[in-house]
C-alpha cells in the first residue's frame, strides 16, 4: 500500500472508530443495574437500598427503574458511594447523583416520540389574563393556537426534537416530548409554564416617601426586589409601581444572554422598530424618573432614566444563574399571551404505536438485507465491496447523528432510506462505468481508474443537488421537516465519502496486493436501442391528465376528507380499562370494524401509576371508537374518562415552513443545474420534480376510488413527499450528465437520437437503482403496517413516477426546449467565442 493510500486507510479507520465511540452506548442502560455497577463502596445501608430496589423491581415491573430507584433510596445519602459525580452546591445531592447517573446511562441513539414514546404534559391556559395584560386577541381559539406555536419554538430551542404540541379542548394544550430524563422533565416543565410577561412600568416619582409613610395611590402597587450590595449584604427594596404598563414585551425582536461588567448573567434584548419608537418616546418623556422592568409580576430591576434611549436595545439585570438567564431569554423571544397551569403529567407509548414501530423495524431490516443480497448476487465481489461501503455509510451516519444530538424519527428514517438509495446508486454508477471501460479492452486497473473518474461528476452533481435541498430544509423547516433535512444532509455527505473513498481504497489495496485479478459482474440488461422519445408527447399528456384528475378528485370530491388528524385535529378519547389489550388488535378492530382511518393509539401511565388508553381519531368518530372497543373487547371493560377535541400536530406554521423550504429547494436546484449544465436542463429537472410530487399527491387522492375511505394526508405522507423530491432529482441528474457527456463527445445523430442513446446507456443503472430502492420500500409496505405502510405506499408511487419522469418529463422538455436542435455545450461556446475574437 502506497503512502497516500495508507493515510486514507488510517483516516477511514479513525472515522469508523470515532463513529462507534459516539454511538456507545447505543441504547439506554437499566438504572437498577447501573446503580449496582457504579458504586465504588458498599455498607449495610447500601445493601438495604439494593434489597428494597430488587423488591420494587419484582413487585412493580411496569414501573420505570428510575422511579423504583428513587423510592428505594428514600432519604439516604448516597453521594459517598458515587464520588465521581460532582454535586457540590446542589440542594438535593442524592437526587443530583441519580440525575447524573441517568444521563450517563442514556443511550446515544435518541429516538423520537413517534418511535419510543416519552412524557405527556397537559396544561391549561388562564384565559382570564388575556385582557389584563394589554393583549387584544379576538377569541380564545386564537390565543390557544398562538400558544401552540410559541411552545413549539421554546421546546425546539430547549433542544427537544420534534415534539407533539396540539390544542386540546377550549383552553388546554397537550404537549408530548420524547425520552426525557427526570432532570430534563423538570427543566421542560419550567420552560413550558413560563409565560414571560415582560412589562415596562413607571415608578411613582415620590415612591420612597409614600412607601415610608405606608401610603399608596390609585393605579399603583408596591413591588419588592431583593438586592445585594457591594459588601455582600442583602436588603429588600420596595417601589411604588404603576399597575398599567407603558409597554409590554410583545415588541421584543430578539433576546440573548450577556454578561455584566462584573461577569454576572444578564438579558440583552432588542426591540422591533415600533417598540423602539415607543421606548424612545417613553424614555424621552421621563428623563430623571425610574422605570420598573417587571417579568411575570416580579420586579427585576428599576433603573433610573438618565438620558433618552432611542436605539431599541436594553438589558434586564438580576440575580440570575446561567440556566435561568438562558430560559428567560428563550421565553422573552417567544412570550405567551396568558399563563399556563400544569394539569397532569404522564408517560406515553410511541405515537406510531408499539406494534407499528416493531413491524417497521423488522421490515427495514428485511429490506436492507434484500438490497445487500441483490448487490452481492448481481455485482458479485464488487457488490460485496458496495455492501461494506453501505454498512460504513450507516455507521458514519449514526455516529454523526449521535455526535450532534440528532433525534431519530420517522422522517429521519425516511432520510436514511433515501441515503441508502443514493449510496447504492453511487456504487451502481461506478460499477456500470467500470463495465463500460472494461468492454473497451482496458486493463482492470485502467478500467477502475476510468470508471471512478467518469462517475465522479455524476455522483458529485446528484449529491450536491440533494444537499442543496436538505440544507434549505434544515434552515427553513421546523419539526419533522427539519429532522428529515438533518438526517439527509449527514447521510448524503457520508454516501459521497464511502462511495468515492472507501470502495476505491478497497479496490486499490487488493490491486496492490495482486489479489484482484478480475471483476466479473452479471449483465442482464445489455445494450438496448429503444426509442423513448417516440412516446414522449403522449406520455407527457397522459401524465398531466392523471395529475389533473387526481387533484380534481381530491379537491372537489373528497374535500376535507383528504386531511387526516395530523393536519386538522380530531376527537381525543381517554379510557380506563381492567385488562390491557395489544395495540395491534385495537388498531385492527378500529380500522376494519369501525372503519376509522389511521387512529392514533397510545397507552399512557399517570404519575399515580394508573394506566389509561388514549385514542385520537377524526372528528365525530369518538362514539364509534368507544362502542367498537367495548363490543370487541368486553373483558377489557373499557370505560370513557374524557373526550376532548384536539388540534392538528402539523400546524399552519409547519405547513408554511414545509412549502417555503420546498420551493426554495427547487430554486436552489434550478440555479445549480443551470450553472453546471444549461438553463433548459434546469427547467426540465425542476418541472420533473414538481410533476413527481403532484403525481404522487394525485394518486394518493385517487385511492378513494379503490378503498372505502381512501388514504389521508398525514405526517408520514409529508416525509414521503420530501423523500421523493430527493430521489427524483438524483435520477434526473444521472441522465442529464450522460446527455451532456455525449454532447461533448460529439456523438452523431440528431438531438433526439442523442437523448435516446443517453437514456439507453443509463437504462441498466436506472432499473437497478430504482429496483433496489423499490425492493427496500416494498418490504416496508408489506411488513411495516400502520403509518409505515402509508409512508411506503407514497414512496413506492414516487419511485415509479420519479423513474418515469426522468425520461418522459425532464428529458422530453430539454428536447422540446431546443426544438430538436442540439444545444451548444459550454466548451463549444468558448471555442466559438475564441475563434470569433481571433478573426
Amino acid at each position: 500500500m502506497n503512502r497516500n493510500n495508507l493515510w486514507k486507510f488510517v483516516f477511514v479507520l479513525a472515522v469508523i472508530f470515532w463513529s462507534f465511540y459516539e454511538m456507545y452506548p447505543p441504547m439506554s442502560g437499566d438504572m437498577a443495574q447501573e446503580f449496582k455497577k457504579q458504586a465504588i463502596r458498599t455498607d449495610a445501608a447500601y445493601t438495604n437500598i439494593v434489597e428494597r430496589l430488587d423488591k420494587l423491581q419484582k413487585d412493580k415491573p411496569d414501573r420505570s427503574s428510575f422511579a423504583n430507584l428513587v423510592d428505594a433510596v428514600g432519604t439516604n445519602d448516597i453521594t459517598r458511594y458515587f464520588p465521581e459525580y460532582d454535586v457540590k452546591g446542589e440542594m438535593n445531592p442524592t437526587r443530583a447523583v441519580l440525575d447524573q447517573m441517568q444521563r450517563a446511562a442514556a443511550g446515544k441513539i435518541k429516538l423520537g416520540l413517534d418511535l419510543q414514546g416519552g412524557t405527556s404534559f397537559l396544561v391549561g391556559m388562564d384565559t382570564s389574563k388575556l385582557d389584563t395584560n394589554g393583549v387584544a386577541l379576538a377569541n380564545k381559539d386564537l390565543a390557544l393556537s398562538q400558544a401552540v406555536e410559541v411552545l413549539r419554538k421554546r421546546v425546539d430551542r430547549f433542544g427537544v426534537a420534534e415534539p407533539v404540541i396540539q390544542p386540546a379542548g377550549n383552553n388546554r394544550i397537550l404537549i408530548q416530548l420524547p425520552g426525557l430524563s427526570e432532570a430534563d422533565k423538570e427543566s421542560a416543565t419550567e420552560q413550558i409554564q413560563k409565560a414571560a410577561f415582560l412589562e415596562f412600568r413607571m415608578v411613582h416619582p415620590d415612591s420612597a416617601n409614600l412607601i415610608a409613610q405606608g401610603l399608596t395611590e390609585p393605579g399603583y402597587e408596591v413591588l419588592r426586589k431583593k438586592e445585594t450590595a457591594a459588601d455582600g449584604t442583602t436588603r429588600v427594596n420596595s417601589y411604588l409601581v404603576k399597575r398599567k404598563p407603558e409597554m409590554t414585551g410583545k415588541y421584543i425582536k430578539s433576546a440573548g444572554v450577556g454578561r455584566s461588567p462584573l461577569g454576572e448573567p444578564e438579558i440583552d434584548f432588542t426591540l422591533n422598530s415600533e417598540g423602539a419608537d415607543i421606548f424612545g418616546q417613553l424614555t424621552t418623556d421621563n428623563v430623571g424618573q425610574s422605570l420598573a422592568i417587571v417579568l411575570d409580576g416580579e420586579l427585576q430591576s428599576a433603573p433610573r432614566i438618565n438620558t433618552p434611549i432611542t436605539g431599541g436595545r436594553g438589558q434586564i439585570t438580576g440575580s440570575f444563574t446561567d440556566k435561568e438567564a438562558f430560559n428567560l431569554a428563550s421565553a422573552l423571544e417567544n412570550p405567551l399571551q396568558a399563563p399556563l397551569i400544569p394539569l397532569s403529567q404522564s408517560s406515553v407509548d410511541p405515537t406510531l404505536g408499539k406494534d407499528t414501530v416493531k413491524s417497521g423495524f423488522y421490515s427495514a431490516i428485511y429490506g436492507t438485507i434484500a438490497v445487500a443480497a441483490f448487490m452481492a448476487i448481481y455485482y458479485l465481489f464488487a457488490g460485496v465491496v458496495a455492501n461494506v461501503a453501505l454498512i460504513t455509510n450507516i455507521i458514519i451516519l449514526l455516529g454523526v447523528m449521535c455526535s450532534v444530538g440528532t433525534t431519530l424519527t420517522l422522517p429521519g428514517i425516511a432520510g436514511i432510506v433515501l441515503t441508502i438509495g443514493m449510496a447504492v446508486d453511487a456504487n451502481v454508477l461506478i460499477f456500470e462505468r467500470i463495465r463500460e471501460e472494461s468492454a473497451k479492452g482496458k486493463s482492470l486497473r485502467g478500467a477502475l481508474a476510468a470508471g471512478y473518474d467518469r462517475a465522479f461528476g455524476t455522483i458529485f452533481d446528484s449529491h450536491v443537488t440533494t444537499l442543496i435541498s436538505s440544507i434549505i430544509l434544515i434552515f427553513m423547516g421546523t419539526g419533522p421537516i427539519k429532522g428529515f433535512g438533518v438526517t439527509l444532509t449527514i447521510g448524503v455527505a457520508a454516501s459521497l465519502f464511502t462511495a468515492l473513498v472507501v470502495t476505491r481504497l478497497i479496490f486499490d489495496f487488493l490491486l496492490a496486493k495482486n489479489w484482484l485479478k478480475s471483476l466479473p459482474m452479471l449483465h442482464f440488461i445489455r445494450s438496448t436501442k429503444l426509442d423513448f422519445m417516440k412516446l414522449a408527447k403522449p406520455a407527457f399528456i397522459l401524465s398531466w391528465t392523471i395529475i389533473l384528475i387526481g387533484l380534481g378528485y381530491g379537491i372537489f370530491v373528497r374535500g376535507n376528507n383528504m386531511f387526516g388528524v395530523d393536519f386538522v385535529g380530531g376527537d381525543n378519547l381517554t379510557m380506563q380499562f381492567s385488562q390491557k389489550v395489544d395495540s395491534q388488535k385495537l388498531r385492527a378492530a378500529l380500522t376494519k370494524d369501525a372503519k376509522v382511518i389511521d387512529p392514533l393509539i397510545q397507552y399512557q401511565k399517570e404519575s399515580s401509576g394508573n394506566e389509561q388508553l388514549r385514542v385520537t381519531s377524526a372528528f365525530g368518530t369518538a362514539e364509534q371508537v368507544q362502542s367498537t372497543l367495548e363490543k370487541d373487547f368486553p373483558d377489557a371493560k373499557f370505560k370513557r374518562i374524557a373526550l376532548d377535541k384536539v388540534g392538528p400536530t402539523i400546524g399552519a406554521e409547519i405547513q408554511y415552513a414545509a412549502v417555503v423550504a420546498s420551493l426554495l429547494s427547487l430554486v436552489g436546484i434550478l440555479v445549480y443545474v443551470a450553472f453546471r449544465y444549461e438553463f433548459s436542463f434546469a427547467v426540465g429537472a425542476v418541472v420533473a420534480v414538481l410533476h413527481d410530487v403532484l403525481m404522487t399527491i394525485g394518486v394518493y387522492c385517487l385511492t378513494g376510488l379503490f378503498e372505502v375511505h381512501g388514504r389521508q394526508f398525514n405526517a408520514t405522507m409529508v416525509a414521503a413527499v420530501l423523500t421523493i423530491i430527493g430521489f427524483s432529482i438524483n435520477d434526473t441528474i444521472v441522465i442529464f450528465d450522460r446527455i451532456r457527456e455525449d454532447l461533448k463527445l460529439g456523438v452523431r445523430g440528431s438531438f433526439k437520437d442523442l437523448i435516446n442513446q443517453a437514456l439507453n446507456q443509463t437504462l441498466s443503472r436506472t432499473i437497478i437503482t430504482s429496483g433496489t430502492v423499490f425492493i427496500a420500500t416494498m418490504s416496508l409496505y408489506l411488513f411495516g403496517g400502520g403509518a409505515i405502510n402509508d409512508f411506503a405506499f407514497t414512496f413506492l408511487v414516487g419511485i415509479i413516477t420519479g423513474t418515469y419522469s426522468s425520461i418522459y418529463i425532464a428529458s422530453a422538455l430539454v428536447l422540446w426546449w431546443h426544438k430538436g436542435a442540439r444545444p451548444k455545450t459550454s466548451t463549444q461556446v468558448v471555442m466559438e467565442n475564441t475563434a470569433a475574437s481571433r478573426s
Side-chain angles (χ1 to χ4, degrees), residues 727-740:
F727 179 85
S728 174
I729 191 62
N730 179 68
D731 198 47
T732 302
I733 290 297
V734 171
I735 293 174
F736 279 178
D737 186 78
R738 184 57 71 101
I739 294 174
R740 179 180 62 176

Side-chain angles (χ1 to χ4, degrees), residues 380-459:
L380 303 177
F381 179 74
V384 174
V385 173
N387 289 336
V388 172
L390 179 60
I391 294 170
T392 305
N393 189 348
I394 295 173
I395 291 171
I396 295 173
L397 169 60
L398 293 176
V400 175
M401 288 180 65
C402 292
S403 176
V404 300
T406 304
T407 300
L408 186 61
T409 60
L410 180 61
I413 292 176
I416 293 177
V417 170
L418 182 54
T419 295
I420 291 174
M422 295 192 69
V424 170
D425 182 49
N427 285 292
V428 169
L429 283 168
I430 293 169
F431 296 160
E432 291 298 318
R433 284 291 194 173
I434 292 172
R435 190 203 303 276
E436 291 176 15
E437 299 302 322
S438 297
K440 295 176 183 178
K442 291 185 178 180
S443 66
L444 179 57
R445 188 181 296 274
L448 280 168
Y452 274 92
D453 289 343
R454 288 185 176 277
F456 175 80
T458 311
I459 295 171

Side-chain angles (χ1 to χ4, degrees), residues 557-578:
V557 178
R558 297 186 62 185
N560 290 333
N561 187 47
M562 279 300 308
F563 296 95
V565 175
D566 292 336
F567 280 89
V568 297
D571 291 339
N572 182 41
L573 177 65
T574 305
M575 308 181 77
Q576 66 182 25
F577 53 88
S578 59

